[in-house]
Amino acid sequence: MKADPSVQRQLLELASVDAELARVAHRRRNLPELAEIEDIEKSLRDKRDALVNAQTSTSDLQREVGRQEKEVEAVRARADRDRKLMESGSAGAKQLTELEHELQTLARRQQVLEDDQLELMERREAADIEVQRAAAEVDRAEQDLADATTRRDEAIADLDATQARREADRAALAPTFPEPLLKTYDRVREQRGIGAAMLRARKCEACRLELDRSQLSEIKGAAEDDVVTCENCSAILVRTPESGL
Ligand SMILES: [Zn+2]
């Protein structure tokens, strides 16, 4: 294949545009914010689970408090009824003894229930504090997620802008090449990553390998408008005064 040396040198410009497009694509896939967002989302799920658990504990304890209150209420009502019966004077001696005995039992029961209630209240207070703590953690993680999402979106907008500029450069540049040359360039670029590179100081700048003696002499002997390629990476080698030939 043949191409004017100035056209061949122009390929280096296209290669630099393509290199930047490749960098943009690489950065887009490897934005640190993507991993950060994934981590925050995972920890946010855990924190939300912890909040739900804490809320379940408080509502369980609240139900328990309600049940206890009803029980205390029932014991009090029973004791009131017993006392009224005793005060009414309608109870016989045997019944009075029984009532007195029951009142003592009820008083002990009430004491136990009230102690339990106190402990239950303390546990519920601790559970309420845990709910507040867990809710604050969820808030903080949600804020972190919003921040990271904003930073990711800004980074993507930057990459979009760079990509649009370079794609415009490419669209302007590409039609200036003869079609077979551009086709070869694009094929190598798609297969190997770099379509054309400078031959500088006997090294291919695409694969960074030094060309061997036989290839160098072959290139030396080639006409200026011959398109030569790297034996190692297939990139079109663009010769300049720095090539070391
Ligand atoms: Zn090479």
Side-chain angles (χ1 to χ4, degrees):
M1 191 188 305
K2 285 190 176 285
D4 191 86
S6 69
V7 171
Q8 291 191 37
R9 277 197 289 278
Q10 188 96 333
L11 274 180
L12 293 176
E13 217 171 298
L14 184 62
S16 116
V17 168
D18 283 335
E20 185 155 6
L21 282 170
R23 274 197 297 276
V24 166
H26 177 80
R27 244 179 279 158
R28 202 185 279 282
R29 283 191 305 273
N30 295 285
L31 281 177
E33 285 83 3
L34 296 178
E36 196 186 337
I37 286 171
E38 209 173 297
D39 287 349
I40 298 172
E41 277 173 341
K42 190 191 167 297
S43 103
L44 184 54
R45 276 196 296 277
D46 293 346
K47 287 173 161 71
R48 282 186 179 139
D49 286 348
L51 177 57
V52 169
N53 287 340
Q55 283 166 335
T56 307
S57 294
T58 32
S59 56
D60 287 351
L61 284 167
Q62 185 52 46
R63 222 181 353 263
E64 187 72 1
V65 167
R67 205 183 53 72
Q68 284 262 20
E69 274 166 359
K70 267 196 202 114
E71 210 176 326
V72 171
E73 210 38 61
V75 170
R76 273 200 201 116
R78 177 86 187 194
D80 283 351
R81 195 209 62 167
D82 287 357
R83 266 190 295 272
K84 273 191 192 119
L85 210 56
M86 283 173 81
E87 285 158 10
S88 70
S90 64
K94 186 166 174 277
Q95 201 188 0
L96 278 174
T97 313
E98 278 169 9
L99 285 170
E100 242 168 73
H101 187 71
E102 186 173 280
L103 275 171
Q104 280 166 12
T105 308
L106 287 171
R108 276 197 301 276
R109 178 73 188 135
Q110 187 166 344
Q111 188 58 52
V112 168
L113 285 173
E114 280 171 357
D115 286 351
D116 283 356
Q117 223 173 7
L118 219 59
E119 194 214 315
L120 212 52
M121 297 291 218
E122 277 168 12
R123 282 170 58 200
R124 208 199 60 188
E125 269 168 37
D128 284 346
I129 290 169
E130 180 55 23
V131 167
Q132 283 167 19
R133 198 194 58 79
E137 292 234 344
V138 167
D139 281 352
R140 204 159 29 239
E142 279 173 347
Q143 187 55 52
D144 288 349
L145 183 61
D147 290 349
T149 304
T150 304
R151 278 185 283 114
R152 178 203 60 191
D153 291 348
E154 282 166 2
I156 287 177
D158 278 354
L159 291 174
D160 285 346
T162 307
Q163 183 172 341
R165 272 198 307 277
R166 294 298 161 251
E167 275 171 354
D169 289 347
R170 194 178 209 283
L173 221 72
T176 66
F177 298 101
E179 216 180 296
L181 181 66
L182 187 63
K183 260 195 180 148
T184 304
Y185 168 90
D186 277 335
R187 181 174 46 75
V188 177
R189 182 179 58 85
E190 275 157 28
Q191 288 169 357
R192 314 292 292 256
I194 300 178
M198 201 194 283
L199 175 63
R200 193 203 296 268
R202 297 196 293 272
K203 262 188 190 168
C204 163
E205 291 225 301
C207 65
R208 308 269 163 195
L209 286 185
E210 189 160 331
L211 272 58
D212 65 29
R213 216 175 266 274
S214 73
Q215 211 196 347
L216 279 170
S217 72
E218 206 175 295
I219 292 174
K220 231 177 198 171
E224 266 207 322
D225 62 349
D226 277 338
V227 174
V228 297
T229 58
C230 172
E231 276 183 351
N232 179 54
C233 73
S234 310
I236 295 170
L237 282 173
V238 179
R239 285 158 290 170
T240 73
E242 296 169 63
S243 291
L245 292 168

